[in-house]
Short mmCIF file of all heavy atoms in Angstrom, two decimals:
data_model
loop_
_atom_site.label_atom_id
_atom_site.label_comp_id
_atom_site.label_asym_id
_atom_site.label_seq_id
_atom_site.Cartn_x
_atom_site.Cartn_y
_atom_site.Cartn_z
N LEU U 1275 70.46 137.09 149.88
CA LEU U 1275 71.81 137.32 150.31
C LEU U 1275 72.05 138.80 150.58
O LEU U 1275 71.20 139.62 150.17
CB LEU U 1275 72.76 136.92 149.11
CG LEU U 1275 72.74 135.51 148.73
CD1 LEU U 1275 73.63 135.30 147.44
CD2 LEU U 1275 73.20 134.61 149.86
N PRO U 1276 73.07 139.14 151.37
CA PRO U 1276 73.39 140.61 151.66
C PRO U 1276 73.50 141.39 150.40
O PRO U 1276 74.08 140.93 149.37
CB PRO U 1276 74.69 140.49 152.37
CG PRO U 1276 74.72 139.15 152.97
CD PRO U 1276 74.00 138.30 151.99
N GLY U 1277 72.93 142.58 150.38
CA GLY U 1277 72.88 143.38 149.18
C GLY U 1277 74.32 143.87 148.72
O GLY U 1277 74.29 144.20 147.48
N ASP U 1278 75.21 143.90 149.52
CA ASP U 1278 76.48 144.37 149.00
C ASP U 1278 77.42 143.29 148.64
O ASP U 1278 78.62 143.52 148.29
CB ASP U 1278 77.22 145.19 150.16
CG ASP U 1278 77.43 144.40 151.37
OD1 ASP U 1278 76.83 143.20 151.44
OD2 ASP U 1278 78.27 144.76 152.28
N ALA U 1279 76.92 142.08 148.47
CA ALA U 1279 77.77 140.98 148.03
C ALA U 1279 77.42 140.54 146.64
O ALA U 1279 76.34 140.67 146.16
CB ALA U 1279 77.52 139.72 148.98
N TYR U 1280 78.45 140.03 145.89
CA TYR U 1280 78.26 139.63 144.51
C TYR U 1280 77.97 138.17 144.52
O TYR U 1280 78.16 137.38 145.50
CB TYR U 1280 79.39 139.95 143.68
CG TYR U 1280 80.64 139.21 143.91
CD1 TYR U 1280 80.93 138.00 143.42
CD2 TYR U 1280 81.72 139.84 144.73
CE1 TYR U 1280 82.14 137.28 143.71
CE2 TYR U 1280 82.79 139.18 145.03
CZ TYR U 1280 83.08 137.92 144.58
OH TYR U 1280 84.18 137.26 144.75
N VAL U 1281 77.41 137.67 143.44
CA VAL U 1281 77.02 136.18 143.24
C VAL U 1281 77.82 135.70 142.06
O VAL U 1281 77.70 136.32 140.90
CB VAL U 1281 75.60 135.98 143.11
CG1 VAL U 1281 75.31 134.48 142.78
CG2 VAL U 1281 74.82 136.38 144.30
N SER U 1282 78.57 134.65 142.19
CA SER U 1282 79.33 133.98 141.07
C SER U 1282 78.58 132.70 140.64
O SER U 1282 78.08 132.00 141.44
CB SER U 1282 80.70 133.60 141.56
OG SER U 1282 81.34 132.82 140.62
N VAL U 1283 78.39 132.53 139.31
CA VAL U 1283 77.73 131.36 138.80
C VAL U 1283 78.68 130.56 137.84
O VAL U 1283 79.44 131.21 137.29
CB VAL U 1283 76.43 131.70 138.13
CG1 VAL U 1283 75.35 132.30 139.08
CG2 VAL U 1283 76.60 132.54 136.91
N ASN U 1284 78.48 129.39 137.76
CA ASN U 1284 79.28 128.60 136.82
C ASN U 1284 78.39 128.14 135.60
O ASN U 1284 77.33 127.54 135.82
CB ASN U 1284 79.72 127.27 137.55
CG ASN U 1284 80.57 127.55 138.73
OD1 ASN U 1284 81.57 128.15 138.59
ND2 ASN U 1284 80.13 127.23 139.88
N VAL U 1285 78.89 128.46 134.51
CA VAL U 1285 78.08 128.05 133.22
C VAL U 1285 79.05 127.45 132.19
O VAL U 1285 80.30 127.70 132.33
CB VAL U 1285 77.39 129.22 132.63
CG1 VAL U 1285 76.29 129.79 133.54
CG2 VAL U 1285 78.41 130.32 132.28
N THR U 1286 78.56 126.69 131.29
CA THR U 1286 79.41 125.95 130.28
C THR U 1286 79.49 126.76 129.04
O THR U 1286 78.67 127.60 128.79
CB THR U 1286 78.88 124.55 130.08
OG1 THR U 1286 77.56 124.81 129.39
CG2 THR U 1286 78.71 123.70 131.24
N PRO U 1287 80.50 126.53 128.26
CA PRO U 1287 80.57 127.24 126.87
C PRO U 1287 79.38 126.96 126.06
O PRO U 1287 78.94 127.78 125.22
CB PRO U 1287 81.88 126.62 126.30
CG PRO U 1287 82.69 126.13 127.42
CD PRO U 1287 81.69 125.70 128.56
N ALA U 1288 78.66 125.76 126.28
CA ALA U 1288 77.47 125.47 125.50
C ALA U 1288 76.38 126.46 125.78
O ALA U 1288 75.62 126.96 124.88
CB ALA U 1288 76.96 124.07 125.79
N LEU U 1289 76.23 126.88 127.01
CA LEU U 1289 75.28 127.88 127.39
C LEU U 1289 75.61 129.29 126.89
O LEU U 1289 74.85 130.01 126.41
CB LEU U 1289 75.08 127.92 128.86
CG LEU U 1289 74.05 128.95 129.45
CD1 LEU U 1289 72.63 128.87 128.88
CD2 LEU U 1289 73.97 128.86 130.97
N LEU U 1290 76.94 129.66 127.13
CA LEU U 1290 77.47 131.02 126.66
C LEU U 1290 77.34 131.13 125.18
O LEU U 1290 77.17 132.21 124.72
CB LEU U 1290 78.83 131.17 127.06
CG LEU U 1290 79.15 131.28 128.67
CD1 LEU U 1290 80.57 131.29 128.93
CD2 LEU U 1290 78.43 132.46 129.16
N GLY U 1291 77.40 129.99 124.44
CA GLY U 1291 77.35 130.18 122.93
C GLY U 1291 76.01 130.21 122.38
O GLY U 1291 75.85 130.44 121.22
N ARG U 1292 75.00 130.04 123.29
CA ARG U 1292 73.58 130.18 122.73
C ARG U 1292 73.21 131.62 122.58
O ARG U 1292 73.41 132.40 123.37
CB ARG U 1292 72.64 129.55 123.79
CG ARG U 1292 72.68 127.97 123.80
CD ARG U 1292 71.85 127.35 122.48
NE ARG U 1292 71.70 125.93 122.73
CZ ARG U 1292 70.63 125.38 123.22
NH1 ARG U 1292 69.66 126.11 123.72
NH2 ARG U 1292 70.56 124.13 123.34
N PRO U 1293 72.53 131.87 121.38
CA PRO U 1293 72.02 133.20 121.22
C PRO U 1293 70.92 133.44 122.33
O PRO U 1293 70.20 132.63 122.75
CB PRO U 1293 71.31 133.13 119.86
CG PRO U 1293 72.00 131.99 119.12
CD PRO U 1293 72.26 131.00 120.19
N VAL U 1294 70.87 134.74 122.75
CA VAL U 1294 69.95 135.10 123.80
C VAL U 1294 68.51 134.73 123.45
O VAL U 1294 67.65 134.32 124.25
CB VAL U 1294 70.10 136.66 124.07
CG1 VAL U 1294 69.03 137.07 125.12
CG2 VAL U 1294 71.50 136.96 124.54
N SER U 1295 68.19 134.87 122.09
CA SER U 1295 66.77 134.60 121.69
C SER U 1295 66.48 133.22 121.94
O SER U 1295 65.25 132.86 121.95
CB SER U 1295 66.69 134.94 120.17
OG SER U 1295 67.56 134.18 119.32
N GLU U 1296 67.38 132.30 122.01
CA GLU U 1296 67.05 130.84 122.21
C GLU U 1296 66.93 130.49 123.64
O GLU U 1296 66.56 129.35 124.00
CB GLU U 1296 68.19 129.97 121.49
CG GLU U 1296 68.18 130.06 120.08
CD GLU U 1296 69.22 129.13 119.41
OE1 GLU U 1296 69.84 128.33 120.14
OE2 GLU U 1296 69.59 129.29 118.26
N LEU U 1297 67.33 131.40 124.54
CA LEU U 1297 67.38 131.10 125.97
C LEU U 1297 66.03 131.29 126.73
O LEU U 1297 65.90 130.82 127.77
CB LEU U 1297 68.51 131.81 126.70
CG LEU U 1297 69.91 131.59 126.08
CD1 LEU U 1297 70.94 132.37 126.94
CD2 LEU U 1297 70.24 130.15 126.20
#
Side-chain angles (χ1 to χ4, degrees):
L1275 301 174
D1278 59 347
Y1280 66 85
V1281 176
S1282 169
V1283 296
N1284 301 297
V1285 296
T1286 64
L1289 178 57
L1290 291 175
R1292 284 285 190 91
V1294 174
S1295 59
E1296 294 183 11
L1297 299 181

